Amino acid sequence: MIICDEQKCTGCFACMNLCPNNAISVGYDSLLKTIPIVDEAKCCHCNLCKKNCPVLNKLEPFQVKKVFAATSLDKADQENSSSGGMAAVITRQVIRSGGVVYGAAAVYGDVRHIRVDNMESAKLLQGSKYVQSTIGMIYRSVREDLKNKKIVCFFGTPCQIAGLERFLLTPYDNLVTVDLVCHGTPPLKYLEEHMNNIHAADWDKLIFRKGTSFVLMASCGDTKLYEKQAMLDRYFKAFLTSLSYRDNCYQCDYAREERISDITLGDFWGIDRSSLKKQFDGRISLVLINTEKGEQFFRDCHTEIVCEEREIKEGLNGNQENLHHPSVPHSDRKKFEKNLRYKGFCYAVKHTQNERVIRKNSLKSKIVQSKLYQWIRCR
C-alpha cells in the first residue's frame, strides 16, 4: 500500500507512529530519502495513516501575529547556537518549569530527535543541523508526556511539526511548537556516506556553524576528525547551493508567510541595525509569533533576552526567501539525481559540482566566509 505520493512525502513518519499494528517502517527511495514502507501482512487496513498524513490532509496555518528581533543575554547561548540563541533560551525556560523539550541532536554518528529534561542534555540540541533528523517513534513519547500534564516544547522543521500535529489528533494546551525557517533538508544517508568518505564516520559530535563561520567539523572525544569551511566541503556546498535536498523540499507546502507552529525562529537576515532602539550584541534571531500561546510563552522568556518588536513586513521580507516560496533546485539537479542513482551521493556530488570553483574558493576562503551570511539571497 502506498500512503501518499513518494515525491511529496516529507518523511515526517506520523503514519509510522500512528499505526496500531506497527506495520509501517522506514524505507528508502531511489534518491535515498526516507519513505514509509507498509508490511501488508501486519496491516489491518484501518487507514489511520492515510486519514492523518499531512500531505493528504493539510493543516490550517496561522497568520503571523507579531515579529521580534531578539538575542540571548547569555553569551554562551550565542557562542553555541547558530543565531541569537533563542532556542537555548526557550529550552531553558521549559526545563526550569519542569517541562521537557524535543529537538534534533547530532551525536554518536546519528542526527535524531531526542527528549531532554535537564540542562546538561539540552546542550545536545544547540546549533543547526543541515540534514533531516530521524524522527523514529518520538511522537509517541511526546504524547505520553502531554497526557502526563508536562509542559512540552517541540522544535523541528515545519513538516515535522505538521507530522506531530497530525499524530496527536487533538490539541494540547501544554504543547508549544517551534518551527525553524527551513531551506530544505538533505537525506541523512547523504551525510552518512560523506562522513564515511572523509574518514570521519566515527564522530560523536558534529557541528555546522562555528562562531560566525559556516563549517563542517566532526570530532570523537577530544580528537578532531575533520574540519573544513562550508564551500570547501562537498556535502556543505551541495546544501548551500540547493543541490541535495529531498525532492519534496522543492515543492514545500510550508515555505510561506503563514506558519504551522506557535513560534518560528530563524536568522534576522538584513535587519537595519541602525534602526534598532535597543543595543544588540552579536547575532540577532528572527522570532515570528504565530499564536496567542506562542506570544504568552515568548513573553515569559523576556527576562533572559534583549528583544524589540519590528514590523511584520520587515520580518517576513528581508532575505528570507523560504518565508515566501520553496527553494529553487540547483540548475544541475537532474544531473545530480542521475549520478546519485548510478553510484551514490559522493560520486554524484563530485561529478556535479564545479571542481574549478572549489579550487578558486580555496584561494579566497576569507571572502567566502564573509559572504556566507548572504547565501540565502544568492542561491
Side-chain angles (χ1 to χ4, degrees):
M1 181 177 72
I2 296 176
I3 298 172
C4 71
D5 184 341
E6 284 185 4
Q7 288 191 324
K8 295 181 179 179
C9 176
T10 66
C12 74
F13 286 98
C15 55
M16 184 173 72
N17 281 261
L18 275 164
C19 183
N21 284 4
N22 295 320
I24 300 174
S25 59
V26 177
Y28 301 90
D29 71 358
S30 63
L31 296 176
L32 303 180
K33 78 172 190 289
T34 52
I35 57 171
I37 301 296
V38 179
D39 184 340
E40 296 290 352
K42 293 182 179 180
C43 179
C44 64
H45 304 288
C46 64
N47 282 326
L48 273 177
C49 53
K50 289 188 175 183
K51 290 176 182 177
N52 296 286
C53 171
V55 174
L56 301 177
N57 306 274
K58 307 296 185 184
L59 289 171
E60 189 69 29
F62 305 110
Q63 296 287 337
V64 176
K65 293 168 60 68
K66 293 182 180 180
V67 168
F68 289 88
T71 190
S72 173
L73 290 170
D74 188 334
K75 296 299 181 183
D77 287 344
Q78 290 203 38
E79 291 173 4
N80 297 315
S81 301
S82 298
S83 187
M86 284 307 304
V89 172
I90 292 172
T91 296
R92 193 159 51 244
Q93 174 72 18
V94 173
I95 291 176
R96 283 177 179 171
S97 67
V100 295
V101 178
Y102 290 83
V107 288
Y108 306 116
D110 191 16
V111 181
R112 63 184 185 275
H113 258 63
I114 64 171
R115 175 189 188 273
V116 300
D117 59 5
N118 61 81
M119 292 311 302
E120 186 61 31
S121 298
K123 295 177 182 177
L124 299 174
L125 304 184
Q126 290 187 297
S128 296
K129 290 86 179 175
Y130 297 130
V131 65
Q132 186 174 40
S133 62
T134 299
I135 282 292
M137 307 302 284
I138 208 75
Y139 297 153
R140 294 185 180 183
S141 177
V142 173
R143 182 175 61 189
E144 190 68 21
D145 281 326
L146 290 169
K147 287 185 175 180
N148 288 331
K149 307 302 181 182
K150 286 185 176 292
I151 296 173
V152 176
C153 180
F154 188 94
F155 288 90
T157 59
C159 56
Q160 289 172 334
I161 301 291
L164 174 63
E165 294 286 1
R166 277 300 177 201
F167 165 78
L168 292 174
L169 302 179
T170 185
Y172 285 86
D173 291 338
N174 50 325
L175 171 66
V176 176
T177 55
V178 183
D179 80 282
L180 312 171
V181 179
C182 180
H183 311 289
T185 55
L188 186 56
K189 284 287 187 184
Y190 296 178
L191 180 64
E192 291 174 350
E193 187 177 331
H194 178 66
M195 299 310 290
N196 185 63
N197 188 61
I198 60 176
H199 308 292
D202 294 330
W203 62 270
D204 62 13
K205 183 178 181 181
L206 190 69
I207 66 172
F208 292 90
R209 287 172 72 165
K210 183 180 179 183
T212 58
S213 299
F214 289 76
V215 299
L216 181 60
M217 187 173 81
S219 59
C220 182
D222 296 328
T223 302
K224 184 186 294 184
L225 302 177
Y226 180 83
E227 181 174 0
K228 192 164 284 189
Q229 294 172 359
M231 293 300 280
L232 307 182
D233 175 83
R234 287 197 177 103
Y235 174 87
F236 217 147
K237 183 170 183 280
F239 171 82
L240 292 175
T241 55
S242 193
L243 177 66
S244 58
Y245 306 153
R246 290 175 61 104
D247 49 4
N248 58 278
C249 294
Y250 301 112
Q251 48 184 329
C252 176
D253 287 330
Y254 309 107
R256 54 192 293 185
E257 292 184 4
E258 299 82 12
R259 309 306 298 166
I260 207 72
S261 63
D262 297 303
I263 299 173
T264 299
L265 298 180
D267 294 283
F268 210 134
W269 300 102
I271 189 170
D272 180 4
R273 285 179 178 260
S274 66
S275 67
L276 291 168
K277 299 175 183 177
K278 297 182 179 180
Q279 178 64 43
F280 283 77
D281 295 323
R283 288 163 287 171
I284 300 176
S285 292
L286 170 70
V287 182
L288 307 182
I289 303 299
N290 310 318
T291 67
E292 291 183 6
K293 185 197 300 183
E295 184 174 5
Q296 178 59 54
F297 189 80
F298 181 67
R299 190 179 298 118
D300 293 340
C301 297
H302 278 197
T303 58
E304 297 189 47
I305 64 175
V306 176
C307 71
E308 182 175 311
E309 187 170 358
R310 307 292 289 184
E311 292 292 330
I312 291 179
K313 183 178 179 180
E314 179 189 25
L316 294 177
N317 289 345
N319 56 4
Q320 294 279 11
E321 66 174 35
N322 294 95
L323 290 176
H324 303 283
H325 59 79
S327 292
V328 177
H330 188 285
S331 58
D332 286 331
R333 170 70 186 188
K334 292 299 181 183
K335 179 181 178 182
F336 170 78
E337 291 181 2
K338 181 179 179 180
N339 286 330
L340 177 71
R341 291 187 176 98
Y342 176 54
K343 280 192 176 180
F345 174 76
C346 291
Y347 177 90
V349 78
K350 179 179 179 180
H351 288 80
T352 306
Q353 290 179 346
N354 188 327
E355 296 296 307
R356 182 183 63 80
V357 172
I358 291 178
R359 290 195 297 270
K360 180 180 179 181
N361 283 340
S362 68
L363 299 175
K364 299 181 179 180
S365 59
K366 291 184 179 180
I367 296 176
V368 170
Q369 285 298 321
S370 69
K371 290 184 177 181
L372 275 174
Y373 278 103
Q374 301 300 320
W375 72 269
I376 297 176
R377 177 176 292 168
C378 297
R379 283 182 303 151

